[in-house]
Amino acid sequence: AQTVTQSQPEMSVQEAETVTLSCTYDTSESDYYLFWYKQPPSRQMILVIRQEAYKQQNATENRFSVNFQKAAKSFSLKISDSQLGDAAMYFCAYISGSRLTFGEGTQLTVNP
Amino acid sequence: GAGVSQTPSNKVTEKGKYVELRCDPISGHTALYWYRQSLGQGPEFLIYFQGTGAADDSGLPNDRFFAVRPEGSVSTLKIQRTERGDSAVYLCASSLSSGKNAGELFFGEGSRLTVL
């Protein structure tokens, strides 16, 4: 069974600074996708960024980028120039078939 | 509608009662998913529909839980004889397709169920 682990229950960052959220996963599959989702207090999960396992190049979406280390099964999220609106719960997720498996989440606080 | 709509937003019920939670996916999305999120945890998969049929219901915890999607659009999650441990946020998501591309799920705001 696939598992996703986020070892940082909480993280904080100063506004305009950079923060990195960690994620590791376990799988025997070679073809899969990885995602970071953001969940604000409204409860709605919002896709932040996705990475296809067969692509070596790290995905980037504006201020959000990932460090994907396939051999180490590591998938961290870097948020640059943090903004107050980035404060939320962040979930790392994995999909191989049709089932999306989530980690436990990291609560990010952005301090003004 | 523009997004995934879930009703009710909040539901408080008594132990032993029957509950229905509704999900209206994005128009044209053939895949629909139900997840359960307990306090302080990540969402856990319950069931996935492709069209009208349940393609994977292996996440349903027991036979008190059942879900339908009779016309391939709106889905209802049904919980019989509710227990306090069923208290959670129930999230619905939809996507254009299934498989690995299903990772581009669009989520609703969830239904918070509280069983007293």
Side-chain angles (χ1 to χ4, degrees):
Chain A
Q2 295 84 17
T3 57
V4 178
T5 303
Q6 294 178 248
S7 59
Q8 305 155 315
E10 298 177 348
M11 290 285 284
S12 63
V13 62
Q14 291 296 125
E15 196 176 3
E17 297 294 310
T18 295
V19 65
T20 298
L21 308 184
S22 300
C23 173
T24 58
Y25 59 94
D26 186 24
T27 183
S28 57
E29 303 286 337
S30 59
D31 187 16
Y32 52 88
Y33 284 52
L34 295 162
F35 307 87
W36 279 97
Y37 277 87
K38 169 184 177 180
Q39 187 178 41
S42 68
R43 300 195 308 237
Q44 186 173 27
M45 301 281 275
I46 302 165
L47 180 64
V48 174
I49 198 166
R50 62 182 277 171
Q51 174 78 43
E52 297 161 68
Y54 67 87
K55 288 188 176 179
Q56 292 186 333
Q57 186 174 7
N58 289 323
T60 299
E61 288 286 343
N62 300 313
R63 298 183 294 108
F64 299 87
S65 62
V66 299
N67 183 3
F68 174 47
Q69 301 290 329
K70 190 172 183 180
K73 296 180 182 174
S74 170
F75 182 62
S76 61
L77 174 70
K78 185 171 83 171
I79 306 174
S80 303
D81 185 26
S82 298
Q83 300 176 359
L84 294 177
D86 295 333
M89 195 74 162
Y90 285 81
F91 291 96
C92 178
Y94 162 102
I95 191 168
S96 176
S98 295
R99 179 186 296 208
L100 195 60
T101 300
F102 290 89
E104 296 294 314
T106 296
Q107 181 67 51
L108 178 66
T109 301
V110 181
N111 300 310
Chain B
V4 177
S5 176
Q6 290 189 247
T7 55
S9 179
N10 290 284
K11 174 72 176 178
V12 180
T13 190
E14 294 180 342
K15 180 173 178 286
K17 299 290 188 183
Y18 170 80
V19 166
E20 288 190 353
L21 306 176
R22 175 189 167 107
C23 173
D24 198 344
I26 293 173
S27 178
H29 281 193
T30 59
L32 184 145
Y33 306 78
W34 284 99
Y35 283 82
R36 178 168 72 175
Q37 187 175 23
S38 300
L39 189 64
Q41 311 252 326
E44 294 178 305
F45 171 83
L46 294 177
I47 186 169
Y48 149 61
F49 287 91
Q50 181 58 44
T52 61
D56 183 356
D57 64 358
S58 60
L60 294 177
N62 52 60
D63 61 6
R64 295 187 298 105
F65 288 74
F66 189 69
V68 296
R69 195 186 184 199
E71 297 178 0
S73 179
V74 171
S75 176
T76 304
L77 178 66
K78 308 180 180 194
I79 310 174
Q80 297 177 319
R81 305 183 305 279
T82 52
E83 300 178 356
R84 293 193 179 87
D86 298 336
S87 297
V89 174
Y90 290 81
L91 296 168
C92 177
S94 69
S95 67
L96 270 174
S97 62
S98 60
K100 290 184 291 294
N101 285 326
E104 301 220 41
L105 269 59
F106 295 85
F107 283 82
E109 294 189 352
S111 293
R112 181 182 298 280
L113 174 65
T114 302
V115 182
L116 301 177

